[in-house]
Amino acid sequence: RKHFALTGTPIENRLSELWSIFDYIMPGYLFSYREFREQFERPIVINEEKDLQKILVKMISPFVLRRRKSQVLKELPEKIERPYYAEMSGKQAGLYQAMVNELKAELSQKSAEEFKQSRIEILSKLTRIRQLCCDPGLVYSDYNEGSAKTAACMELIESALSGGHRIIIFSQFVSMLSVLEGKLRQKKIEFYKIVGETPKE
């Protein structure tokens, strides 16, 4: 019996995701998770040990087949990127600035060693700032003042639909998709949402 794993994001948030994939296809190859965490994950993530990173890459590379879109779908046109800016204002801008100032003040008081030890906590706060940029409702449950990004996204959706197009929206935050879902229901726009909990049927 053989197992294969297919993913576009082998390491999306944490190095443990790579361990999880290998534990499914080759149980024990990357040791138990406790051993993997102590031998690889913590030294690589917290101490940025490049030599250990190279060892891990060498261990997994014989079992990883990577293909780029250009290698398998030559007929597809090049991707066109059009940046679309949504400037925060009002309460959202104030909350954003307050959170950024709080993090800056906290970081300015940390020594280099303290900074290394609290990297996970700092990354968590940066994630909250990114969520606030999407929609403050992702961070504050009682927020109801609107969001520049949500408004811009709805404008793009409605523009695409009025032109007879269909549209796919991706977000790193499932909670952001839920915010858009509410807006789409209000405007009676049909949609289908696919997230990790969506049944395969």
Side-chain angles (χ1 to χ4, degrees):
R1 188 174 174 186
K2 295 176 183 175
H3 288 132
F4 294 90
L6 178 67
T7 178
T9 53
I11 308 169
E12 178 68 16
N13 298 306
R14 290 173 291 279
L15 202 52
S16 59
E17 293 176 6
L18 179 70
W19 178 86
S20 182
I21 291 168
F22 267 84
D23 192 56
Y24 170 72
I25 57 172
M26 299 170 67
Y29 181 70
L30 291 182
F31 320 109
S32 69
Y33 178 59
R34 181 183 290 176
E35 290 173 290
F36 178 80
R37 187 180 60 213
E38 294 305 316
Q39 290 183 37
F40 291 103
E41 187 174 21
R42 294 185 71 158
I44 290 171
V45 174
I46 296 171
N47 302 325
E48 296 183 349
E49 293 192 19
K50 301 291 184 194
D51 289 343
L52 269 178
Q53 192 173 325
K54 286 176 185 171
I55 290 169
L56 181 58
V57 168
K58 200 171 181 179
M59 285 176 70
I60 66 168
S61 59
F63 309 104
V64 176
L65 180 63
R66 187 172 182 217
R67 289 288 180 267
R68 295 182 181 275
K69 181 183 75 172
S70 58
Q71 293 173 283
V72 291
L73 292 170
K74 293 182 171 37
E75 70 277 10
L76 281 181
E78 284 299 308
K79 178 169 67 175
I80 299 169
E81 290 190 28
R82 291 197 185 105
Y84 194 93
Y85 298 98
E87 189 174 348
M88 290 182 285
S89 61
K91 192 168 182 182
Q92 183 181 17
L95 288 169
Y96 169 81
Q97 200 55 58
M99 200 177 276
V100 167
N101 290 344
E102 184 185 314
L103 183 57
K104 278 183 178 177
E106 188 182 317
L107 292 176
S108 68
Q109 295 169 10
K110 288 188 186 297
S111 67
E113 190 55 40
E114 286 173 324
F115 178 81
K116 273 188 175 181
Q117 289 173 354
S118 57
R119 283 182 63 196
I120 302 300
E121 185 187 332
I122 292 164
L123 285 171
S124 171
K125 288 183 178 176
L126 285 171
T127 298
R128 283 171 63 82
I129 289 172
R130 286 176 52 227
Q131 288 175 316
L132 197 145
C133 289
C134 287
D135 193 302
L138 307 188
V139 180
Y140 303 105
S141 58
D142 58 346
Y143 181 85
N144 54 12
E145 298 279 330
S147 152
K149 194 168 187 178
T150 300
C153 197
M154 289 304 297
E155 189 181 299
L156 286 168
I157 291 168
E158 291 180 80
S159 173
L161 294 177
S162 68
H165 301 287
R166 290 182 292 177
I167 188 167
I168 301 175
I169 298 168
F170 296 90
S171 177
Q172 286 190 311
F173 303 113
V174 173
S175 49
M176 183 62 185
L177 294 177
S178 297
V179 168
L180 293 173
E181 182 179 359
K183 300 285 182 192
L184 292 169
R185 287 190 195 283
Q186 282 174 12
K187 292 185 177 282
K188 296 185 169 43
I189 296 173
E190 289 187 358
F191 66 91
Y192 191 78
K193 184 170 77 169
I194 300 175
V195 293
E197 63 192 22
T198 305
K200 63 182 179 184
E201 290 80 17

